[in-house]
Amino acid sequence: MQTLSQSLKQSGINDELAKLITVLANTSKDISQAVRHGALAGVLGVAGTENVQGEDQKKLDVITNDMLKDALAAQGSVKALASEEEDEIVPLSKDGQFLVCFDPLDGSSNIDINSLVGTIFSVLPAPSGDVSEQSFLQSGRKQVAAGYVLYGPSTMLALTTGKGVQLYTLDPVSGDYLLTVDGVQISKDTGEFAINMSNQRFWEPGMQAYIADLIKGKEGPRGKNFNMRWIAAMVGDVHRVLCRGGLFTYPTDTKDPKKPFKLRLMYEANPMAFLVEQAGGKASTGYETILDVAPSEIHQRVAVILGSANEVDACLGYHK
Ligand code: AFP
């Protein structure tokens, strides 16, 4: 089985990008260790601080954020980073050719219950000259790489550099990421959807009607039964979609008028949309292809409907 470095070399991508991906992958191995130690390392529970989202930061959120910051600062090719856990962008290497956006520990509300969490990253080209938040406001189409690491029963890295999607599994013996799926293809149709049903009364009528028809099953207009999953960690739900198809959505809702959307564009929706499209799926806000959204600020949130292409189309049909 090919190692990550062999696979990157064979892919023909730019050397500097390969080195950056390798640093991200190596840091994820340290994060995997920290996550696995859990309560034993005194890393569970809240850190007593709040992030820019106004969310309590779990100790591991802060620890993993610092691990990634330190590794990228040392790497030398990253001009600046944007993180879910950082209010502002963090300038790093003045001549760096990349910008990196990341959610260091997605699904952090799952930490204390020993459920799935992950790291999501997105790599953009760095414009020349001084770096500012404006430098990051590029559409998802400009991404040169994106991926996630899922800290599950096995630690898995999903990666795209625009040449399809590869899945790597961390070999606990050698410590290498080994290529276990080369060229993920998401099934065009599915019988499985993922949504947080507790928000049903707050959705737009189109989403209410779409989900209601799924639940009607064989006797309803879809003429087949559907299964439901909800991991409360986007990395886990998207990984399932990559592996066996499905529709994942966090739609707009009126639960908190000040926060009509939940998922963050730059370091959740865009990297996942890049992976999903590269694997033959679709990713939409309900009204616009996610990768075409023109960002207005680094912590911007959007609605997300992604997964099996024909099922995303079916859902969008209710949003006309
Ligand atoms: P946390 O990182 O705060 O746990 O949020 C995870 C997340 O951003 C995304 O990964 C999940 O799909 C979604 O939120 C879960 O949201 P609900 O808790 O409202 O179900």
Side-chain angles (χ1 to χ4, degrees):
M1 268 186 184
Q2 265 192 344
T3 62
L4 173 63
S5 53
Q6 289 165 339
S7 168
L8 289 176
K9 217 171 266 125
Q10 197 167 23
S11 74
I13 61 168
N14 153 317
D15 243 5
E16 284 306 308
L17 180 58
K19 283 181 195 150
L20 172 56
I21 291 167
T22 303
V23 165
L24 288 165
N26 289 338
T27 309
S28 76
K29 297 176 189 176
D30 298 334
I31 293 175
S32 180
Q33 283 289 6
V35 166
R36 298 214 180 296
H37 277 89
L40 300 177
V43 293
L44 299 188
V46 291
T49 52
E50 261 194 8
N51 65 15
V52 65
Q53 331 287 343
E55 295 159 348
D56 284 343
Q57 288 182 307
K58 302 271 182 188
K59 281 181 190 165
L60 265 178
D61 277 324
V62 178
I63 290 168
T64 54
N65 186 60
D66 292 346
M67 288 162 82
L68 282 161
K69 252 191 335 186
D70 296 346
L72 293 178
Q75 204 272 339
S77 72
V78 180
K79 194 163 201 168
L81 66 83
S83 163
E84 180 189 88
E85 305 305 330
E86 298 286 342
D87 300 0
E88 315 287 333
I89 67 162
V90 179
L92 295 177
S93 311
K94 208 170 62 62
D95 302 325
Q97 54 184 299
F98 303 112
L99 301 176
V100 179
C101 308
F102 59 77
D103 180 354
L105 209 65
D106 175 62
S108 49
S109 54
N110 281 346
I111 295 170
D112 296 341
I113 56 165
N114 194 27
S115 183
L116 289 181
V117 289
T119 297
I120 310 173
F121 60 88
S122 167
V123 183
L124 292 162
S128 56
D130 294 345
V131 74
S132 66
E133 176 162 330
Q134 193 61 37
S135 315
F136 282 79
L137 302 183
Q138 306 176 45
S139 84
R141 295 264 174 237
K142 299 278 197 243
Q143 294 174 99
V144 292
Y148 60 78
V149 179
L150 178 60
Y151 309 109
S154 62
T155 294
M156 291 191 76
L157 164 68
L159 174 70
T160 185
T161 57
K163 302 175 179 180
V165 176
Q166 292 75 40
L167 296 185
Y168 301 85
T169 302
L170 183 61
D171 175 357
V173 176
S174 69
D176 283 329
Y177 273 112
L178 301 181
L179 180 63
T180 40
V181 181
D182 187 7
V184 175
Q185 281 303 314
I186 300 175
S187 51
K188 295 295 179 206
D189 296 297
T190 183
E192 198 162 55
F193 68 100
I195 193 165
N196 180 338
M197 285 299 288
S198 68
N199 297 324
Q200 192 275 348
R201 63 191 183 285
F202 301 116
W203 300 333
E204 292 176 305
M207 186 55 84
Q208 288 175 332
Y210 167 68
I211 296 293
D213 282 352
L214 299 187
I215 291 172
K216 285 179 190 141
K218 245 205 315 276
E219 298 71 37
R222 299 299 305 269
K224 68 178 187 181
N225 293 330
F226 282 79
N227 189 26
M228 199 201 95
R229 287 283 182 274
W230 188 248
I231 293 177
M234 190 182 191
V235 282
D237 283 310
V238 171
H239 188 70
R240 187 190 55 254
V241 168
L242 287 184
C243 293
R244 68 185 193 207
L247 182 124
F248 165 87
T249 179
Y250 210 112
T252 182
D253 64 49
T254 56
K255 191 156 104 177
D256 174 354
K258 291 192 301 299
K259 208 172 95 177
F261 310 112
K262 167 92 186 203
L263 300 178
R264 274 68 61 148
L265 175 64
M266 301 303 291
Y267 39 82
E268 286 178 326
N270 267 342
M272 293 308 203
F274 190 14
L275 286 163
V276 165
E277 285 203 3
Q278 282 289 311
K282 287 191 174 183
S284 170
T285 64
Y287 302 96
E288 187 179 4
T289 300
I290 286 177
L291 292 180
D292 295 329
V293 173
S296 55
E297 62 102 9
I298 55 170
H299 296 300
Q300 172 176 352
R301 297 171 189 263
V302 288
V304 174
I305 303 169
L306 63 77
S308 296
N310 295 343
E311 196 52 43
V312 170
D313 285 344
C315 180
L316 296 182
Y318 287 72
H319 286 71
K320 289 279 176 273

